[in-house]
Amino acid sequence: MQFRDILSPDDAILVKEDQAVAFTVAVDDPSAQADADGNKFIEAGTWLAASTDVLLGDRKQVMTPTTDANKAQGVLLHRANVNNGQVDGALVIAGVINRAMIETATKAKYYSDDQVHNLVKSLPKITVIDR
């Protein structure tokens, strides 16, 4: 039997994107630091929050990163360049996230075992695996 790697985009954090539930939201991070090329990114896998529930409230409110699982309303699906301010992003509220596909610094900030445990308690339709 022969095995081969299946290639996917750099920010393909979902095991099966077609089985996830995601909504378009506005995202921004005023505290983001510019990289060597002068770009400011919010990485795929970042937890996002807003002052009110984005699914029930004002659809125009801007979501920002949070490390507090109790405030997280979902997970950013794809990397977002916020160099020029807010942009549209996809907020995952249900699906299987592959922690192994998340960028190293983002994984360290949001995906320790304890943080994952708290996230799935807050967002029970999110599952996190490490494959």
Side-chain angles (χ1 to χ4, degrees), residues 16-110:
K16 291 204 170 242
E17 195 164 319
D18 62 334
Q19 293 179 355
V21 177
F23 296 91
T24 302
V25 294
V27 297
D28 196 3
D29 185 0
S31 66
Q33 299 296 315
D35 65 11
D37 296 325
N39 292 307
K40 298 177 184 177
F41 291 103
I42 304 174
E43 295 295 334
T46 298
W47 304 353
L48 297 175
S51 58
T52 61
D53 188 331
V54 295
L55 301 179
L56 300 175
D58 180 4
R59 298 181 79 194
K60 295 180 182 180
Q61 66 183 320
V62 179
M63 301 199 77
T64 57
T66 183
T67 55
D68 184 343
N70 294 318
K71 293 181 181 178
Q73 295 179 34
V75 176
L76 184 63
L77 179 57
H78 298 287
R79 180 187 220 199
N81 186 334
V82 293
N83 197 45
N84 296 315
Q86 77 181 45
V87 296
D88 287 339
L91 179 73
V92 177
I93 62 165
V96 180
I97 295 173
N98 185 354
R99 179 168 60 177
M101 297 301 292
I102 294 174
E103 186 265 334
T104 303
T106 303
K107 189 183 327 182
K109 187 172 183 178
Y110 297 96

